[in-house]
Amino acid sequence: MPRIQIHTEINAKVEIVFDLSRSIDLHKISTVHTNEEAIAGKTEGLIGLNESVTWRAKHFGIYQQLSSKITAYKRPHYFVDEMQKGIFKSFKHQHLFTVEDDRTIMTDLFDYTAPLGFLGKIADQLFLKKYMTRLLQKRNQVIKEFAESERWKEVIPIE
């Protein structure tokens, strides 16, 4: 099973980074280039344990739907979302958050299995892993931009 691992250093409080990472609204902003929209389940706000979301997005010129569920959660240290239904054979995305010298280190561990057996393995080597890595890096860059400015207040309800 292929794994994508990304570490992103963010100059913001871990609680802010954690909440931005589970914000449906920020996810929509970070994936505007794929016309991604939440169409079922939790469609706005902050997703939490045992909640699901179904996304509709355009990837590789084709509209697709993908449903995922938060299967593990401990604020502000980690949460896990796992595909319930979609184009992948499976995926599990672990979001880990640690603090080092007043900075948050956000780590993504994205384990997945491409569809279509042998053809999926070839597609993974040719373009899928690179595509998914760029998608996650783009998302993380948006999280970083919002967390390191006052923009996080646009998508996280202030308690």
Side-chain angles (χ1 to χ4, degrees):
M1 178 179 289
R3 169 175 275 185
I4 298 169
Q5 183 170 331
I6 300 171
H7 301 283
T8 307
E9 186 177 307
I10 302 174
N11 292 314
K13 291 182 178 182
V14 68
E15 293 84 3
I16 292 171
V17 177
F18 182 89
D19 286 347
L20 286 171
S21 296
R22 63 192 187 97
S23 169
I24 300 292
D25 303 307
L26 188 70
H27 187 88
K28 292 175 195 175
I29 293 167
S30 72
T31 56
V32 69
H33 61 287
T34 61
N35 297 322
E36 201 146 335
E37 60 179 317
I39 60 170
K42 184 79 172 177
T43 59
E44 60 185 21
L46 303 179
I47 195 165
L49 184 61
N50 295 321
E51 292 184 315
S52 299
V53 59
T54 299
W55 296 100
R56 181 175 185 270
K58 191 173 191 177
H59 297 282
F60 307 111
I62 301 166
Y63 276 98
Q64 303 170 28
Q65 288 186 20
L66 184 139
S67 298
S68 66
K69 180 178 182 179
I70 304 299
T71 58
Y73 180 96
K74 183 175 180 185
R75 185 177 192 270
H77 306 291
Y78 67 87
F79 70 93
V80 177
D81 64 282
E82 296 187 61
M83 187 188 81
Q84 304 297 297
K85 201 159 92 175
I87 189 71
F88 287 93
K89 187 172 180 183
S90 67
F91 83 61
K92 180 177 182 178
H93 186 178
Q94 299 175 69
H95 307 257
L96 311 171
F97 306 86
T98 56
V99 177
E100 291 181 15
D101 302 323
D102 294 329
R103 295 181 325 263
T104 299
I105 308 301
M106 180 173 66
T107 301
D108 291 273
L109 301 175
F110 187 79
D111 298 299
Y112 65 98
T113 303
L116 306 173
F118 180 71
L119 291 176
K121 288 181 182 181
I122 292 171
D124 186 50
Q125 291 175 352
L126 292 176
F127 61 86
L128 184 58
K129 187 170 188 173
K130 192 179 296 183
Y131 180 84
M132 291 306 300
T133 301
R134 281 196 300 256
L135 196 65
L136 292 170
Q137 288 170 332
K138 169 73 173 155
R139 179 180 174 278
N140 289 358
Q141 185 58 41
V142 172
I143 290 169
K144 181 178 174 69
E145 289 170 10
F146 273 68
E148 292 181 348
S149 69
E150 293 295 307
R151 293 195 66 197
W152 64 266
K153 294 176 183 176
E154 297 172 21
V155 292
I156 297 177
I158 299 174
E159 300 172 357

